[in-house]
Amino acid sequence: MTRKERFAAIIGWFETNQPVASSELHFQDPFQLLVAVILSAQCTDKRVNMVTPALFQRFPTPEDLASATFDEVYPFVKSISYPNAKARHLIAMARMLVSDYGSVVPSDIDALMRMPGVGRKTANVIASIVYDQPVIAVDTHVFRVAHRLGLSDGSTPRAVQLDLERHIAPSLRPVAHHWLILHGRYVCTARNPKCTDCPLTAWCKEYKPV
């Protein structure tokens, strides 16, 4: 099976069986999504969704967050992984958002990556979800699933991203990002993957029938 055929089969299965997929982070505007994605680095969406309602109520706008101090923000994110760094990143991000971008979350990947706490994965998530850009964000779930299913053998998230974007149609990339994330989160888990429940074992390079 060629890689092109592998992509066609796997993406075809998702299109037929899971046509709708979206982020599990809770947000109401691009600013809230940016905050939530920054907090989600090496942390579960479930945990992020537990803390953001109070955080957004206290700091509803970029201006509110930009004017906050570390001691004001930290209590809201202390249960998140790396709370010290993330509290500082959120404040610095908001200040740049206000001063450099007029409080509007930019659509440009490079502009997004200029902001503290925003790497390529976060920038791609924002560009994909908010601005419907044809990019695929590669987190640990996407990286793992892409390798197990033989969609990429790239050694870096960027290499995997390019492999996925090379073979997935631009119109499908936003939803494909979520297909792979959710499959990695709930089926193709890092430890003890649920192979007996997986509909994609026919294409999995690591599946070993009992």
Side-chain angles (χ1 to χ4, degrees), residues 4-19 149 151 167-169 172 175-176 179-180 199-200 203:
K4 182 178 180 179
E5 291 170 336
R6 184 178 293 275
F7 267 94
I10 293 170
I11 295 302
W13 186 91
F14 280 118
E15 282 189 282
T16 300
N17 295 278
Q18 295 181 10
L149 293 179
L151 301 178
H167 291 91
I168 298 175
L172 289 177
V175 68
W179 283 335
L180 297 174
L200 305 178
W203 304 288

Side-chain angles (χ1 to χ4, degrees), residues 180-203:
L180 297 174
I181 283 180
L182 295 174
H183 189 69
R185 184 174 292 164
Y186 296 112
V187 181
C188 192
T189 51
R191 297 181 180 179
N192 302 315
K194 301 175 178 64
C195 297
T196 56
D197 298 328
C198 181
L200 305 178
T201 52
W203 304 288

Side-chain angles (χ1 to χ4, degrees), residues 36-199:
V37 178
I38 289 174
L39 291 176
S40 72
Q42 299 183 29
C43 186
T44 66
D45 288 2
K46 181 178 180 180
R47 169 58 59 181
V48 173
N49 289 336
M50 291 173 65
V51 307
T52 49
L55 179 67
F56 294 152
Q57 183 176 20
R58 176 62 179 82
F59 307 106
T61 68
E63 291 80 4
D64 293 319
L65 187 55
S67 63
T69 66
F70 172 86
D71 289 339
E72 290 174 322
V73 174
Y74 178 81
F76 293 93
V77 301
K78 64 182 180 180
S79 64
I80 296 287
S81 60
Y82 307 104
N84 291 333
K86 289 180 179 179
R88 294 188 177 93
H89 284 157
L90 289 180
I91 296 168
M93 175 277 292
R95 288 174 179 170
M96 181 176 286
L97 190 60
V98 172
S99 64
D100 293 14
Y101 302 116
S103 299
V104 177
V105 175
S107 60
D108 180 73
I109 299 291
D110 291 334
L112 285 162
M113 290 177 62
R114 286 186 59 222
M115 291 189 285
V118 180
R120 184 172 297 278
K121 186 213 76 172
T122 297
N124 283 353
V125 170
I126 300 302
S128 175
I129 294 177
V130 176
Y131 297 107
D132 203 31
Q133 291 191 26
V135 293
I136 294 181
V138 177
D139 66 356
T140 56
H141 297 302
V142 174
F143 191 88
R144 179 176 65 255
V145 170
H147 279 82
R148 287 179 176 174
L149 293 179
L151 301 178
S152 175
D153 55 9
S155 60
T156 66
R158 178 63 170 164
V160 171
Q161 176 191 339
L162 295 176
D163 280 341
L164 295 175
E165 291 177 358
R166 191 175 296 116
H167 291 91
I168 298 175
S171 62
L172 289 177
R173 290 174 194 169
V175 68
H177 158 73
H178 297 300
W179 283 335
L180 297 174
I181 283 180
L182 295 174
H183 189 69
R185 184 174 292 164
Y186 296 112
V187 181
C188 192
T189 51
R191 297 181 180 179
N192 302 315
K194 301 175 178 64
C195 297
T196 56
D197 298 328
C198 181

